[in-house]
Amino acid sequence: MSTRLRVLVVDDSPVVRMGLQALLSTEADLHVVGEAGDGDEALALMAETRPDVVLLDVRMPKRDGVSVITELAERATVIMMTFTDESHVIQDALRRGASGYLVHGTFDAQFLAAMIRQCAAGAGAFSGPALAVLRGGAASSQGAASSPAAGTDDAAETTTALSPRQVEVMELVAKGRSNQQIAAELFLAEKTVKNHINAIFAELGVESRAEAIVYWLRS
């Protein structure tokens, strides 16, 4: 049984798609199964190509990337890969279900491959500019108003309500660790880690790892 991760590349630029295809072709465990030039094409290709991971651009003709994240994320792990580093776009993408956000020009082929594997394993993937936005409090009023961490007093109270062990787990989640990696680092059973994460999500009022990371880094 193949262990190769199936990747769908979605970008309106043929040059970008060709470049990503070339980068990923050097990785034995990654296989580009399709390319799309807009959100509608991506949705149409999902059933045909059955990708594990979708690399998705933000701004495209017809349907843009952000508008199709939720539909794509129901069937695959979605990583935004774009030149757009605007705060409210990053936060909106993560709230809609993206598992990561990578900004072109800030990573190399090795980093990209590692992030694809990491996200497929259930962790998050962020390049430097995206992390800077999440940590730096530079959100626009639009992003801050709709962010789950926007209420600073409530956020601080909720964060301090976590147990010391939950804080340790959440710190590792925010660093992009998978459940398996967290279990190994904290000497816990993987099921125990999963239970902690479910409890953290309930306490923070979020539904995904990406939302939890946004909340944590901004609170």
Side-chain angles (χ1 to χ4, degrees):
M1 184 174 180
S2 174
T3 58
R4 299 176 82 189
L5 290 173
R6 300 168 63 83
V7 181
L8 174 63
V9 177
V10 185
D11 196 293
D12 64 326
S13 168
V15 174
V16 171
R17 296 199 303 270
M18 184 169 59
L20 290 173
Q21 171 82 262
L23 286 176
L24 298 180
S25 67
T26 64
E27 302 293 331
D29 62 331
L30 303 179
H31 175 47
V32 175
V33 294
E35 299 178 14
D38 61 61
D40 284 334
E41 287 185 15
L43 291 171
L45 280 174
M46 283 296 289
E48 178 184 339
T49 61
R50 297 177 290 106
D52 302 299
V53 177
V54 178
L55 301 182
L56 181 64
D57 190 16
V58 169
R59 295 196 170 98
M60 295 181 291
K62 299 180 182 178
R63 288 191 71 181
D64 64 30
V66 175
S67 70
V68 295
I69 292 171
T70 302
E71 293 167 86
L72 293 174
E74 290 175 352
R75 291 175 281 176
T77 297
V78 176
I79 303 174
M80 308 308 294
M81 182 167 293
T82 176
F83 290 100
T84 304
D85 61 359
E86 298 168 23
S87 175
H88 71 275
V89 175
I90 293 172
Q91 295 187 43
D92 192 21
L94 298 180
R95 283 194 301 273
R96 288 173 183 255
S99 296
Y101 200 104
L102 305 178
V103 179
H104 284 300
T106 65
F107 56 86
D108 57 17
Q110 186 176 14
F111 181 88
L112 172 59
M115 291 300 97
I116 291 173
R117 297 183 189 105
Q118 187 166 291
C119 267
F126 303 93
S127 56
L131 280 175
V133 165
L134 299 178
R135 289 189 175 121
S140 66
S141 57
Q142 176 185 350
S146 55
S147 168
T152 54
D153 290 341
D154 289 344
E157 289 175 7
T158 304
T159 301
T160 56
L162 300 180
S163 71
R165 178 59 87 185
Q166 288 171 343
V167 169
E168 287 182 311
V169 170
M170 191 58 226
E171 285 285 354
L172 293 175
V173 169
K175 290 177 181 177
R177 305 288 201 277
S178 67
N179 287 6
Q180 185 178 27
Q181 291 170 325
I182 294 170
E185 193 159 337
L186 297 181
F187 303 101
L188 298 172
E190 195 168 341
K191 182 177 181 181
T192 301
V193 172
K194 184 176 181 180
N195 290 339
H196 278 309
I197 290 175
N198 287 338
I200 290 168
F201 285 5
E203 193 66 53
L204 299 184
V206 300
E207 296 181 355
S208 70
R209 250 179 154 83
E211 281 186 300
I213 291 170
V214 171
Y215 192 113
W216 191 255
L217 294 178
R218 289 187 53 81
S219 65

